[in-house]
Amino acid sequence: MLTSASKVFGNEDYLRIAERNLNFVLENQNPDGSWFYAVDGVRDFVDHYHTCFVMKSLAKIHALTGHAGIVGALGKGVSYYSNNLFDSDGLPKPFSRAPRLTVYKRELYDCAECINLCLLLRDRFPQLEATLEKVVTHILEAWTKPDGSFRSRKLHLGWDNVPMHRWGQSQMFRSLAFYFRESAKTAEERGEARFHALPHNKEIISSSEQCLTFS
């Protein structure tokens, strides 16, 4: 936010503060490419959507500044992310190693942030394209409900179907809208006239309309 604000308002003070925060993030990346939830020596677990938050911000900062140190950090981060934060089905899992007993296998929030991250980085890391398509397909097939809401969690047995506004519903709606927009841009660049016939777009339009009705 501060990096963006420094550009919008022409304020170098914002950029200096942003650079200190950026340096903190780069310096606290682990040798394997991960970031702990906290550096307090207690909450040293690695979870899915916070890892996405870190790399999304790095990608956006790099787009604004071209900071050289970000490229290497993203490369290591994507490698760790791809190899440790997906289950045997190739779908997002909450933790690389769960810090406590969990009653769920997957979470809507993780899937939403996975879609966001893959859209931001797929041009630079082509392996994320396959991940993106797998997760979007899975959401449309298994997580959308007839009333327009999304399932919240895949439990070890069954589902948590309670639609919580902040915890996944809004994020997934935004992620699918982002995917839809990027698909439209890609179609335009390729000169594809039949945009609505592209993979997932009919399903996303229907799901989004239902979600808006539910909301």
Side-chain angles (χ1 to χ4, degrees):
M1 183 187 72
L2 285 169
T3 304
S4 178
S6 73
K7 302 294 183 181
V8 172
F9 299 110
N11 188 316
E12 291 297 318
D13 289 338
Y14 296 164
L15 186 59
R16 280 192 288 273
I17 298 169
E19 286 177 340
R20 290 201 295 270
N21 288 324
L22 173 60
N23 290 335
F24 173 83
V25 172
L26 295 177
E27 291 166 4
N28 282 284
Q29 185 176 26
N30 296 314
D32 61 7
S34 67
W35 287 271
F36 290 141
Y37 176 80
V39 293
D40 55 8
V42 178
R43 293 167 292 180
D44 57 351
F45 58 84
V46 180
D47 70 286
H48 198 105
Y49 71 91
H50 283 103
T51 298
C52 290
F53 286 170
V54 172
M55 290 198 287
K56 280 168 51 185
S57 294
L58 290 179
K60 292 175 182 179
I61 292 169
H62 185 263
L64 290 169
T65 68
H67 189 288
I70 291 176
V71 176
L74 282 175
K76 291 167 57 180
V78 168
S79 178
Y80 181 90
Y81 177 70
S82 299
N83 292 320
N84 295 276
L85 284 165
F86 292 84
D87 61 22
S88 58
D89 295 321
L91 295 167
K93 64 179 184 179
F95 302 96
S96 59
R97 179 172 51 84
R100 56 186 178 275
L101 181 65
T102 57
V103 298
Y104 58 96
K105 292 176 63 177
R106 299 189 192 105
E107 190 163 64
L108 185 65
Y109 206 157
D110 293 334
C111 294
E113 291 304 333
C114 174
I115 293 170
N116 288 335
L117 181 66
C118 289
L119 285 167
L120 285 174
L121 293 179
R122 61 179 173 171
D123 290 342
R124 185 172 298 163
F125 302 98
Q127 68 268 33
L128 295 179
E129 183 71 46
T131 300
L132 173 65
E133 295 304 320
K134 179 183 282 289
V135 174
V136 171
T137 299
H138 180 62
I139 290 297
L140 294 174
E141 290 179 349
W143 290 70
T144 55
K145 293 162 56 186
D147 64 3
S149 66
F150 300 99
R151 303 179 190 276
S152 292
R153 282 176 170 171
K154 171 64 176 172
L155 308 177
H156 290 293
L157 292 173
W159 293 85
D160 176 354
N161 289 312
V162 178
M164 294 176 280
H165 190 104
R166 184 181 70 85
W167 201 258
Q169 300 295 313
S170 298
Q171 289 84 352
M172 181 53 69
F173 181 80
R174 189 267 181 194
S175 296
L176 291 180
F178 185 24
Y179 178 92
F180 187 82
R181 189 190 74 178
E182 293 302 296
S183 296
K185 286 169 58 178
T186 300
E188 183 178 355
E189 290 166 0
R190 294 175 179 173
E192 295 174 352
R194 297 190 63 194
F195 164 66
H196 288 78
L198 292 176
H200 304 314
N201 285 332
K202 285 184 179 179
E203 292 89 345
I204 289 175
I205 291 170
S206 175
S207 175
S208 298
E209 288 175 343
Q210 288 176 323
C211 186
L212 282 171
T213 301
F214 177 83
S215 296

